[in-house]
Amino acid sequence: HHFVFTYDWNISDKTRLKAEAYYQSLKNVPVEQNPSSFSAINTGISFGPMNQDSLINNGGGTNYGIELTLERFFNDGYYYLFTTSLFNSRYEGSDRIERNTAYNTRYVVNALAGKEWGLKGGKFFSVNLKATTIGGLYLTPLDYELSQARGRAVYQESKAFSEKQNAYFRVDLRLSFRQEFRRSTLEASLDLQNLTNNKNIFSQSYNPRTNSVTTLYQQPFFPVPYVRFTF
């Protein structure tokens, strides 16, 4: 069951505000027959197949939250866009214990803005800035003692999705120049990706040799130059 309340307001012909509140009630979710924390709701977070079989449709879950969008369309040389989602995502396995889902990051915030200046002779210079932050994912903690004894990752299923990763944060800055000729256009830009060089987690895996978690991070600070001539 999915319930939504939406409010959409055109503040002006250039600016729009949209707010939305929602509530979802999930029933008949596949879970294991024996009491466990497994639920099909969480499958797909690791991009791999699940090994559970003989499932029954006795699980459930709830999702609820609010979303907000404030947008100014490009006009008078500038624009901006702000979106946020604040939510809670919970589920119950066959053990009937309510837990965080694997996707319960709690919040997502995006901010985007840009400004363009017109120069003499058909020249334009623009600056665009984008910032994104997302709450960390919930993980199931490892049982290091059993993992070391068995030489593979063994998780504390009774504490499923109780350990939170660090939040994701990234800022991108783009500087660009455009020269418009009579029948052609020259463009040059510099994208400064992950400007703050934040160490955002890409994946984490168990290393049996060191009995520790190995973390792989996403792209660090990376400048990308760009030149294009169209005619």
Side-chain angles (χ1 to χ4, degrees):
H1 302 288
H2 190 177
F3 304 93
V4 181
F5 177 79
T6 302
Y7 180 74
D8 205 337
W9 178 28
N10 289 325
I11 301 174
S12 69
D13 58 350
K14 304 173 185 177
T15 309
R16 180 175 72 103
L17 175 66
K18 182 178 180 181
E20 184 173 281
Y22 64 90
Y23 177 84
Q24 292 180 333
S25 177
L26 309 177
K27 305 294 184 182
N28 301 323
V29 179
V31 295
E32 291 184 311
Q33 297 185 41
N34 297 324
S36 77
S37 62
F38 173 81
S39 173
I41 285 177
N42 300 311
T43 57
I45 192 68
S46 62
F47 302 100
M50 63 180 187
N51 298 320
Q52 289 76 9
D53 60 11
S54 303
L55 304 178
I56 56 175
N57 296 92
N58 282 348
T62 56
N63 300 308
Y64 57 89
I66 58 174
E67 296 182 351
L68 179 68
T69 299
L70 178 63
E71 179 178 14
R72 187 192 192 279
F73 309 112
F74 183 77
N75 193 274
D76 298 328
Y78 74 96
Y79 71 95
Y80 59 78
L81 174 66
F82 174 82
T83 66
T84 184
S85 178
L86 307 175
F87 60 92
N88 197 12
S89 180
R90 307 279 288 179
Y91 83 99
E92 287 186 4
S94 56
D95 58 5
R96 297 303 178 189
I97 298 175
E98 187 181 62
R99 297 181 171 90
N100 297 298
T101 69
Y103 304 93
N104 195 18
T105 63
R106 297 297 182 96
Y107 66 87
V108 177
V109 179
N110 294 287
L112 178 66
K115 171 68 175 174
E116 182 178 79
W117 291 270
L119 309 175
K120 294 181 180 180
K123 299 180 178 66
F124 299 87
F125 177 75
S126 63
V127 177
N128 294 273
L129 182 69
K130 179 182 179 182
T132 299
T133 182
I134 305 172
L137 296 172
Y138 279 97
L139 307 176
T140 301
L142 280 163
D143 186 322
Y144 287 95
E145 186 175 342
L146 282 178
S147 297
Q148 187 175 39
R150 299 181 184 180
R152 61 178 177 83
V154 179
Y155 296 94
Q156 302 179 48
E157 294 299 333
S158 62
K159 299 180 180 179
F161 303 108
S162 62
E163 189 175 274
K164 194 172 180 63
Q165 281 185 335
N166 294 332
Y168 174 95
F169 180 75
R170 173 167 165 168
V171 176
D172 294 338
L173 176 65
R174 186 172 192 265
L175 309 174
S176 61
F177 171 81
R178 184 175 80 254
Q179 170 72 68
E180 295 184 354
F181 301 102
R182 185 175 180 181
R183 296 183 179 179
S184 60
T185 302
L186 174 65
E187 297 174 87
S189 66
L190 177 62
D191 287 335
L192 303 175
Q193 300 180 4
N194 194 6
L195 186 63
T196 60
N197 198 32
N198 204 64
K199 298 182 72 174
N200 295 309
I201 297 173
F202 176 72
S203 66
Q204 291 181 308
S205 59
Y206 175 69
N207 186 337
R209 296 180 59 186
T210 61
N211 192 33
S212 62
V213 174
T214 299
T215 301
L216 295 179
Y217 294 97
Q218 297 188 32
Q219 176 185 292
F221 169 70
F222 191 69
V224 181
Y226 173 84
V227 177
R228 180 173 67 177
F229 182 69
T230 57
F231 56 91

